[in-house]
């Protein structure tokens, strides 16, 4: 169900129709508003130029965060692969230890005590 949300970005009011929750839309609008206010402060940029500059700044932040996220995902994958390799190695070592223990037990002659 679509939600109608009123947002304010750089002294402009917009009515948005969105599937997401109002709080999420407002959070996004707040980010855009902050970028617009920063881009327009102390300049004589048109609203269009300010919006383009804000979009470029947000795209830059998004791209950098995506690189960090991709790097963390790669590190996590390496750690999980290493964990799987070590688990497999441990299981093999345990199998070999049990096999060696059985072989040792079979090799020892049983001694019975006589009374």
């Amino acid at each position: 169900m679509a939600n109608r949300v009123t947002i304010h970005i750089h002294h402009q009011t917009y009515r948005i129709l969105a599937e997401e929750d109002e709080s999420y839309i407002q959070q996004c609008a707040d980010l855009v508003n902050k970028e617009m206010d920063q881009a327009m402060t102390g300049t004589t940029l048109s609203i269009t130029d300010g919006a383009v500059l804000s979009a470029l700044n947000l795209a830059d932040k998004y791209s950098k965060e995506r690189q960090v996220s991709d790097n963390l995902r790669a590190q996590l994958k390496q750690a999980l692969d290493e964990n799987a390799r070590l688990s497999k190695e441990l299981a093999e070592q345990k199998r070999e230890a049990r096999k060696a223990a059985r072989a040792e037990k079979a090799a020892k002659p049983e001694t019975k005590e006589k009374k």
Side-chain angles (χ1 to χ4, degrees):
M1 180 175 170
N3 296 312
R4 292 187 189 278
V5 182
T6 301
I7 59 171
H8 304 281
I9 298 175
H10 195 68
H11 314 295
Q12 299 287 322
T13 300
Y14 301 92
R15 298 260 315 147
I16 305 291
L17 186 61
E19 294 294 322
E20 291 83 5
D21 290 335
E22 181 175 349
S23 61
Y24 175 76
I25 298 300
Q26 194 60 53
Q27 183 181 13
C28 291
D30 290 346
L31 288 171
V32 173
N33 186 51
K34 181 179 176 185
E35 285 298 323
M36 279 290 291
D37 287 347
Q38 287 177 350
M40 300 297 287
T41 299
T43 67
T44 57
L45 292 175
S46 70
I47 191 90
T48 303
D49 289 342
V52 170
L53 182 59
S54 297
L56 187 58
N57 287 339
L58 287 168
D60 175 54
K61 290 176 183 179
Y62 169 77
S63 294
K64 288 176 180 172
E65 289 298 322
R66 191 173 66 189
Q67 287 174 348
V68 168
S69 176
D70 290 346
N71 185 31
L72 288 172
R73 243 186 243 102
Q75 289 177 21
L76 180 59
K77 183 184 179 321
Q78 285 178 340
L80 289 171
D81 289 347
E82 178 70 3
N83 185 318
R85 184 189 68 75
L86 290 171
S87 291
K88 197 174 185 180
E89 186 178 311
L90 179 61
E92 180 62 30
Q93 292 293 326
K94 284 180 177 179
R95 275 192 297 278
E96 293 205 12
R98 284 192 299 266
K99 183 178 175 182
R102 283 192 303 269
E104 184 179 326
K105 186 177 180 182
K108 286 185 181 178
E110 287 190 32
T111 57
K112 294 184 181 177
E113 288 185 23
K114 294 183 181 181
K115 288 190 179 180

